[in-house]
Amino acid sequence: MDQNFAVATEERAGIPVVRAFGEIDVASAPILREQLEAALEGGASTVIVDLLDVTFLDSTGLGVLVGAMSGCQGRNGTLRLVVGERRILKVLEITGLRAVFPLFSTLEEALAG
Amino acid sequence: MSDHATKRAEHVELCIPAQADLMVLARFTTATVASRLGFSIDEIEDLRLAVDEICLSLLGETPSGRLRLHISSDAESLEITGVHEDEGNVATTPWEPHDELSSRILAALVDEHGHGHIEGRRCAWLRKKLTST
């Protein structure tokens, strides 16, 4: 149990929404991966990951998101990210991943696609 | 922050089991030292992520042994060296970056970084200059 991280999945308008809270690092990234894999195994092609309450994201967390994006694309879908924290945007920017993921500043915008 | 609190030399060592759930201690210690040295909040966040990436590169696929971090500073910069101490398991293979994403993060966030071996032990290091006045 990682006390610095929590994750929960709900379905909104037929789309799985994975909400993460806290720090995504080498200890917590596997927990996020499990949730994303479960969403994909449930038949979803498009998944939303809400990172509004994520305060730290390292390369292991990014790797999980990239893997999930690949899974979505394999089903002709995509992985939408909801990002508000400047630090998280910076990590996506410096790794070149900002252009890879559809980014939204609110969950409502992500649901609308 | 007063001049007294900034730009003073520090040397801190942290030795922890090489376990994923303890990397938070490396980040916390780095942030604490960086704060005492007068780094800005953004710079401290950069250092938290950078030291995390350094530690990741040393953990490997099956973490074991201990991770020793040497955090030191002078008037101009902060330097962090991580050494993976794993008794009876001396590294013989070339050091490889954790992955491409990690390499990009380090290149963007710190002024210098590198890797190598110290007495057969894998090590990785970074250096970030103080820009605050």
Side-chain angles (χ1 to χ4, degrees), chain B residues 60-72:
Chain B
E61 292 289 321
T62 53
S64 62
R66 302 181 73 81
L67 198 61
R68 186 178 297 276
L69 284 184
H70 303 262
I71 306 172
S72 59

Side-chain angles (χ1 to χ4, degrees), chain B residues 6-10 37 39 43 72-79 111-112 127-132:
Chain B
T6 61
K7 295 190 176 181
R8 60 187 167 192
E10 296 270 5
L37 291 168
F39 279 97
E43 290 170 328
S72 59
S73 70
D74 55 26
E76 297 176 346
S77 65
L78 177 70
E79 185 167 319
D111 295 295
E112 297 174 59
R127 183 168 178 267
K128 189 170 180 68
K129 294 175 185 169
L130 266 166
T131 56
S132 306

Side-chain angles (χ1 to χ4, degrees), chain B residues 8 16 34 45 52 57 70 74 81 100:
Chain B
R8 60 187 167 192
I16 54 177
E45 287 300 321
D52 182 271
S57 73
H70 303 262
D74 55 26
T81 300
E100 178 62 25

Side-chain angles (χ1 to χ4, degrees), chain A residues 2 4 23 25-27 55-60 62-63 66 86-87 90-91 94-97, chain B residues 20-21 23-24 27 41-42 45-46 48-49 52-53 56 59 98-99 101-102 104-105 108-109:
Chain A
D2 190 321
N4 297 311
E23 301 195 332
D25 63 3
V26 66
T55 55
F56 182 86
L57 177 63
D58 71 6
S59 62
T60 49
L62 289 170
V66 169
R86 192 164 54 93
R87 295 295 312 173
K90 180 175 179 177
V91 177
I94 63 180
T95 52
L97 294 176
Chain B
D21 59 346
M23 294 305 100
V24 66
R27 299 199 295 270
I41 291 174
D42 281 347
E45 287 300 321
D46 288 348
R48 285 182 74 232
L49 181 52
D52 182 271
E53 297 298 336
L56 283 176
L59 275 184
H98 172 59
D99 62 22
L101 293 174
S102 190
R104 290 182 194 175
I105 289 171
L109 298 187

